[in-house]
Amino acid sequence: MSLRGETAVVGVGLTEFGGLPGHSHMEIMAKAIDKAITDAGIHKDEIDGIFSANFVEMLTPLTVAEYLGINPTYMDGTNTGGSVFVNSMQSAAAALSLGLCNVALICYGSNSATGPFTHPPAMHTVEDVYRPRNPITPYALAANRHMHEFGTTKEQLAEVAVSARAWAQLNPAATMRDPLSVEDVVNARMIVDPLGKFDCCLISDGGAAMIMVRKDRAQDFPKKPVYMLGVGSRTDHNLISCMPDLTTTAAKEAAAAAFAMAGVSPADIDVVELYDAFTINTILFLEDMGFCEKGEGGAFVSNGNIAPGGSLPVNTNGGGLSCVHPGMYGMFLMIEAVQQLRGECGERQVDNAKLAACNGSGGFLASQVSAIFGTQETL
Amino acid sequence: MLELPDHTEHLKDDILAEQQNNNNLETPGPLQTFEENLAKGEFRIQQCKDCGQHVFYPRLLCHHCGSNALKWVAVSGKGVVYSSAVVRQRPEKGGDYNISLIDLEEGPRLMSRVVDVDPEEVAIGMQVSAHVGMINDKPAVLFYNKEQGDKEW
Ligand SMILES: [Zn+2]
């Protein structure tokens, strides 16, 4: 069976972004869960599937179940890095479709900004000895290779940050809303060349939660259901030295699978939400997902093409670069897609958005999970 | 600090001894072997006896063909910079340094540093050669641009 249109998102919840001092990651997660179950109009006891991963504890689904006082029939704590919540969404769609659970909760919370500093985890002795300053260096290596092979420029990388900021200026919830120019980005302090301060995502506190059900119940909730039409998950390495080609990610295959399941193509998509941990990500994923040719991402993101008013709205909340980035961002990009398809996005609303494409990225460009969401009429 | 009851250590020793008898584990795993070679100043990688391809990082199974027949071999030490980055760091903490991905002549790619030119001068396509040196008090494979040579490692 295909998972196309079998499940729908019927509730979402986001916390405030930025700093939530004095809160544990679970407390931040609980704020988001509370909002999601209110949005869906359900009681917490209706939740019987929990999908949650974190990097500050191993047994997150157990913590969530205990905290909520529920006894779920299905739990998934798989961790694929920042892509994980799109991956969880795939697992939730499968578990719901098989009847292993009936109301799935996907949730995340982090106090990355105000909580105790967590060092990036050790990767492998053959790399760690060189002190590569993860996670930035792997992306700098990818950016440099892309610049070398295709002539991509620092100014083009900067266009990604500038476009994200322009969207953030339309989003009252976004953390960074001051004007930002290409010159500001290019002239900013270098962190790991060729990536400077504004090429790197924020470090935020924040939580997000999502409720999914099968299509037969999707109309029974207060908000317009948003259907999962396609999903694809791939990975081709963990260490950056094991990535076969630093200019092509596994999103190429993941997105092809997601588009095939959904039965749509990039040209049909109204709004795109990508994991922009660094500016190079947006360029790589637009190419790999088929929104432009390989190597043309730099030109594609230029001249405001992905900014408000451009031909393709990308990262309409302001992304990890300007809206929020609490360690693992995959949850937040899916929720922005859902809210765009519901038509709830105020000033940044994309007119008549019916189809949204998402890509979550985990590890260092390693795990790629693409998803296509659509409104009722796209079923 | 938590004190473990005495019997825990004995238990651990007994279990380990038992397992080593059963598994005949006289030689260390590939990663430790790699590090022991480095400590002797030798840079060796693995080659698959079945498909002939080289393997790095050190593994028990060939990631090309799945074979478990891997042998240690010397390498030419010659490589090309596949990509490079400059990690910016305050002078009092040691200053900027280079991180590169190097494609070895034998095929595998590894992370390292090119250490004999300024970090920002390390360029994609640059020819480099491997030396075993010390970094952060540990033996490691480092690369030089200027000291090209045919030395076997
Ligand atoms: Zn082999």
Side-chain angles (χ1 to χ4, degrees):
Chain A
M1 74 179 274
S2 167
L3 291 175
R4 186 189 194 281
E6 290 297 316
T7 54
V9 179
V10 296
V12 295
L14 293 170
T15 64
E16 303 85 351
F17 303 146
L20 299 164
H23 287 79
S24 72
H25 73 285
M26 183 62 239
E27 289 167 349
I28 293 170
M29 188 149 46
K31 277 174 177 263
I33 294 168
D34 188 32
K35 289 191 172 177
I37 62 179
T38 303
D39 190 53
I42 62 170
H43 187 270
K44 57 102 177 164
D45 287 345
E46 293 177 62
I47 296 164
D48 59 0
I50 292 180
F51 301 77
S52 194
N54 216 296
F55 53 86
V56 294
E57 65 171 336
M58 281 175 62
L59 309 178
T60 316
L62 309 191
T63 302
V64 173
E66 176 183 82
Y67 200 92
L68 296 179
I70 60 177
N71 182 5
T73 58
Y74 196 90
M75 282 183 285
D76 184 336
T78 305
N79 199 337
T80 60
S83 62
V84 61
F85 306 102
V86 194
N87 206 63
S88 304
M89 191 279 301
Q90 179 185 41
S91 305
L96 287 164
S97 297
L98 291 170
L100 297 171
C101 60
N102 298 303
V103 177
L105 166 68
I106 310 170
C107 55
Y108 178 65
S110 169
N111 57 2
S112 300
T114 62
F117 178 72
T118 1
H119 286 274
M123 291 298 293
H124 194 293
T125 51
V126 298
E127 288 197 352
D128 295 339
V129 67
Y130 301 105
R131 295 189 183 164
R133 192 180 287 171
N134 292 328
I136 308 169
T137 298
Y139 296 88
L141 291 165
N144 199 18
R145 187 72 201 180
H146 202 277
M147 294 163 89
H148 173 79
E149 284 193 27
F150 305 116
T152 309
T153 64
K154 282 191 183 183
E155 286 75 14
Q156 289 173 334
L157 291 172
E159 294 269 11
V160 172
V162 169
S163 300
R165 181 61 59 89
W167 282 112
Q169 289 179 309
L170 303 179
N171 180 7
T175 308
M176 302 293 281
R177 304 186 70 208
D178 293 337
L180 185 72
S181 69
V182 168
E183 292 69 36
D184 292 335
V185 180
V186 170
N187 296 326
R189 179 169 62 90
M190 280 291 133
I191 308 295
V192 180
D193 301 30
L195 301 179
K197 177 183 160 190
F198 293 114
D199 290 292
C200 304
C201 63
L202 308 172
I203 298 172
S204 321
D205 292 346
M210 201 161 99
I211 307 283
M212 285 178 82
V213 299
R214 276 184 298 280
K215 66 179 175 190
D216 56 337
R217 297 186 55 201
Q219 304 283 357
D220 303 344
F221 301 86
K223 297 288 176 70
K224 258 188 3 182
V226 169
Y227 293 87
M228 200 286 279
L229 301 180
V231 64
S233 176
R234 297 287 192 281
T235 186
D236 60 6
H237 66 282
N238 188 24
L239 300 182
I240 197 65
S241 58
C242 294
M243 184 171 177
D245 174 354
L246 260 68
T247 65
T248 301
T249 74
K252 187 177 175 185
E253 296 155 292
F259 279 119
M261 187 189 289
V264 299
S265 71
D268 301 319
I269 297 298
D270 301 307
V271 58
V272 181
E273 308 296 345
L274 308 173
Y275 195 141
D276 58 340
F278 300 90
T279 49
I280 185 64
N281 294 35
T282 303
I283 290 173
L284 288 172
F285 301 151
L286 286 170
E287 293 172 350
D288 293 338
M289 296 176 82
F291 291 101
C292 63
E293 293 297 315
K294 178 52 65 185
E296 292 177 6
F300 188 83
V301 302
S302 297
N303 304 314
N305 196 40
I306 63 169
S311 78
L312 185 68
V314 176
N315 294 353
T316 50
N317 58 349
L321 291 168
S322 278
C323 179
V324 62
H325 189 280
M328 303 203 289
Y329 173 72
M331 197 67 200
F332 299 84
L333 61 92
M334 279 195 300
I335 290 181
E336 176 66 11
V338 168
Q339 293 187 318
Q340 284 286 349
L341 297 181
R342 284 176 171 183
E344 291 180 341
C345 289
E347 252 197 296
R348 70 182 190 283
Q349 179 64 46
V350 173
D351 286 344
N352 207 22
K354 295 187 182 66
L355 281 169
C358 297
N359 190 65
S361 178
F364 310 140
L365 295 168
S367 159
Q368 302 296 333
V369 195
S370 300
I372 313 295
F373 292 99
T375 58
Q376 181 85 31
E377 64 190 291
T378 64
L379 278 180
Chain B
M1 190 174 160
L2 182 71
E3 292 241 323
L4 287 172
D6 282 346
H7 70 268
T8 314
E9 276 306 306
H10 294 293
L11 206 56
K12 190 178 157 198
D13 289 346
D14 288 351
I15 291 168
L16 273 179
E18 180 89 3
Q19 284 176 346
Q20 288 196 338
N21 283 337
N22 290 345
N23 298 339
N24 197 20
L25 290 175
E26 285 165 5
T27 54
L31 266 180
Q32 191 176 320
T33 302
F34 172 72
E35 285 168 3
E36 286 173 2
N37 285 336
L38 280 186
K40 289 185 280 184
E42 295 171 358
F43 175 28
R44 296 190 187 282
I45 67 172
Q46 293 168 298
Q47 186 176 17
C48 178
K49 291 181 188 171
D50 283 313
C51 75
Q53 298 195 70
H54 288 81
V55 170
F56 191 85
Y57 50 86
R59 291 165 163 92
L60 278 162
L61 301 173
C62 173
H63 63 292
H64 304 291
C65 75
S67 167
N68 62 7
L70 297 172
K71 61 179 179 183
W72 289 99
V73 295
V75 291
S76 73
K78 287 180 186 162
V80 175
V81 176
Y82 173 73
S83 195
S84 175
V86 184
V87 179
R88 297 291 175 181
Q89 185 175 239
R90 278 193 285 270
E92 63 270 25
K93 288 191 162 184
D96 302 340
Y97 58 92
N98 167 262
I99 293 284
S100 285
L101 297 177
I102 310 292
D103 286 342
L104 294 178
E105 194 171 59
E106 289 78 6
R109 177 177 300 158
L110 67 159
M111 180 180 280
S112 185
R113 295 189 189 185
V114 178
V115 291
D116 67 334
V117 288
D118 288 341
E120 56 268 34
E121 298 302 318
V122 180
I124 292 173
M126 187 179 262
Q127 306 278 328
V128 290
S129 58
H131 292 241
V132 179
M134 294 294 285
I135 186 164
N136 305 320
D137 301 324
K138 289 187 76 175
V141 179
L142 302 172
F143 285 83
Y144 289 68
N145 172 235
K146 288 170 185 147
E147 294 179 24
Q148 295 288 337
D150 294 327
K151 187 178 171 187
E152 287 279 324
W153 293 91

